[in-house]
Amino acid sequence: MNNKVSIKDIARIANVSVATVSNVINQTGRVSASTINKVNKVIQEQQFVLSASARNLKNKNSHLIAVVVPFLEKGILQDNPFYWELVRGVENGARHHEVQVILQGINEDEDFSFVKQRHLDGLIVVGAYGESSAYQKVLEMGVPCVFLDSYLSNPGLYQVNLDDEAGGYLGTKHLIGLGHKTIAVLTGRLEEGGVNYYRYQGYLRALQECGTPGDPELVFEEFSSIQGGYQAAQKIGSSKRKISAIFAFSDVSAMGLIRGLYDIGLSVPTDMSVVGFDDIFYTRYMIPSLTTIQQDVLGKAQTAVNMLLDQINGRVSSTRNVTIPVSLTVRQSTIPYSKKI
């Protein structure tokens, strides 16, 4: 590739106008087949590649989008492999449209200056809350945007959500079906309108169906992280309740939880059954392998990409709110309740 060769150089060598070279490159205008062949031959000989900035001047797009995720704490990106699988799905869907993807972590006080600095064409925002200042700033920018896992009340927004309530219900029903009666939940941030809130509602619905009321002492609201799960194990182990099963609302929390239980002398699933949520890649290779609620992360990501590209390209979509179904994947971390516990 020769970065020093310009379109003017190509036009001079081929003995044609700059406009003709531009038409050949962009496949526009009326150019004879012989001239096209001549220009393309010179382009190949000179190893000329049109710069990204030149393309952007032509079509006004940067061909760059961002997946925006929350920081776990100031300056630290969520330590959750789920986000990396999500970005992989977004990148896979965008690649076919010659669009590149960046991952951007944000704090609540983010000013979103990176959108203008990088000339982003659009955003895929994960886990937005309707009352947050970050959400309001996204709306004020007016850039094409799709919200993932956000449950926003504005019907005009493009959203892709999971059937989180059904996931909470399925995981809890599985444990109830195994005979467990005292089932704790490791929820992560439990705020009304968030994914964990709806998973918790599914948990409560399953309990109510078998005549068991919800118990606040069985709710452990720790960060959805490996460290959060590990810390929860200490609290669960010291609980006065005879907990026999735990439903963690993320696989990464379940991973930390299982390690934490092991360190305090409790074995999974012999002493405690554990269910996760997400079915990230690593869960099938854990010891024990993790029973979890499976969601199609790649399918969700690609749905979001298609919705975003439709906005960027000015295509009007009649579908602005998509709900992705879930299913239960049973592995080794759950077994029938034993009265020896």
Side-chain angles (χ1 to χ4, degrees):
M1 179 176 66
N2 191 344
N3 290 323
K4 296 181 179 180
V5 177
S6 67
I7 289 181
K8 290 183 180 180
D9 295 325
I10 299 299
R12 176 179 53 78
I13 297 169
N15 196 28
V16 298
S17 68
V18 172
T20 297
V21 175
S22 179
N23 286 337
V24 171
I25 291 173
N26 297 310
Q27 298 180 354
T28 58
R30 299 179 63 181
V31 185
S32 68
S34 60
T35 300
I36 291 174
N37 291 336
K38 179 170 65 172
V39 171
N40 282 333
K41 182 179 179 181
V42 174
I43 288 173
Q44 184 175 10
E45 289 173 349
Q46 298 299 317
Q47 296 182 307
F48 172 76
V49 176
L50 187 64
S51 69
S53 59
R55 290 187 186 276
N56 295 343
L57 288 173
K58 168 185 173 290
N59 58 24
K60 307 300 183 184
N61 289 342
S62 65
H63 298 281
L64 187 66
I65 63 175
V67 177
V68 179
V69 302
F71 282 131
L72 178 63
E73 53 188 77
K74 191 172 181 62
I76 301 176
L77 193 64
Q78 281 271 17
D79 62 339
N80 192 336
F82 165 80
Y83 290 110
W84 302 107
E85 291 193 17
L86 181 68
V87 171
R88 181 165 64 91
V90 171
E91 194 279 330
N92 186 57
R95 184 190 314 150
H96 301 297
H97 299 274
E98 298 183 351
V99 173
Q100 295 181 321
V101 182
I102 63 172
L103 176 64
Q104 180 73 39
I106 64 165
N107 295 311
E108 178 58 28
D109 58 356
E110 175 66 53
D111 63 6
F112 288 89
S113 58
F114 66 89
V115 176
K116 289 185 177 180
Q117 291 171 356
R118 302 296 295 271
H119 304 287
L120 298 181
D121 291 337
L123 304 174
I124 295 175
V125 180
V126 184
Y129 286 87
E131 302 303 319
S132 70
S133 61
Y135 164 69
Q136 297 299 329
K137 289 173 185 175
V138 170
L139 295 187
E140 290 168 4
M141 286 189 300
V143 298
C145 187
V146 175
F147 294 92
L148 283 183
D149 298 336
S150 298
Y151 290 102
L152 301 170
S153 59
N154 187 339
L157 300 177
Y158 291 83
Q159 299 190 65
V160 182
N161 292 314
L162 197 68
D163 195 344
D164 290 292
E165 197 275 347
Y169 177 82
L170 285 175
T172 310
K173 284 291 286 186
H174 170 66
L175 293 170
I176 292 172
L178 291 174
H180 296 280
K181 298 185 183 299
T182 308
I183 303 169
V185 279
L186 178 52
T187 64
R189 180 181 180 183
L190 196 57
E191 183 172 329
E192 186 171 355
V195 295
N196 293 325
Y197 171 81
Y198 287 102
R199 292 173 189 181
Y200 182 62
Q201 296 308 305
Y203 162 80
L204 291 177
R205 177 162 68 93
L207 292 180
Q208 290 165 1
E209 283 186 358
C210 65
T212 303
D215 186 344
E217 291 187 7
L218 296 176
V219 179
F220 296 87
E221 191 175 348
E222 301 288 339
F223 276 124
S224 294
S225 65
I226 290 177
Q227 185 64 27
Y230 187 88
Q231 291 172 349
Q234 315 298 315
K235 298 178 180 179
I236 290 168
S238 61
S239 172
K240 296 178 181 179
R241 307 298 301 275
K242 293 184 177 179
I243 298 170
S244 66
I246 309 165
F247 187 1
F249 286 176
S250 71
D251 285 344
V252 70
S253 294
M255 292 166 68
L257 172 68
I258 291 173
R259 174 65 198 206
L261 292 173
Y262 174 83
D263 283 353
I264 62 173
L266 294 175
S267 173
V268 175
T270 305
D271 298 317
M272 198 89 67
S273 286
V274 174
V275 174
F277 202 117
D278 290 329
D279 196 21
I280 60 176
F281 176 77
Y282 306 99
T283 56
R284 70 203 68 176
Y285 298 106
M286 294 168 56
I287 299 176
S289 57
L290 186 65
T291 294
T292 186
I293 301 299
Q294 190 272 340
Q295 64 162 305
D296 184 3
V297 179
L298 297 182
K300 181 163 71 172
Q302 291 176 5
T303 298
V305 168
N306 292 335
M307 293 173 76
L308 184 61
L309 292 177
D310 280 348
Q311 294 179 68
I312 292 171
N313 295 318
R315 293 190 292 266
V316 179
S317 173
S318 59
T319 303
R320 295 200 174 208
N321 202 318
V322 175
T323 300
I324 306 296
V326 298
S327 61
L328 174 69
T329 298
V330 178
R331 297 196 181 102
Q332 298 170 338
S333 65
T334 53
I335 58 173
Y337 171 73
S338 171
K339 292 183 179 180
K340 292 185 295 182
I341 296 175

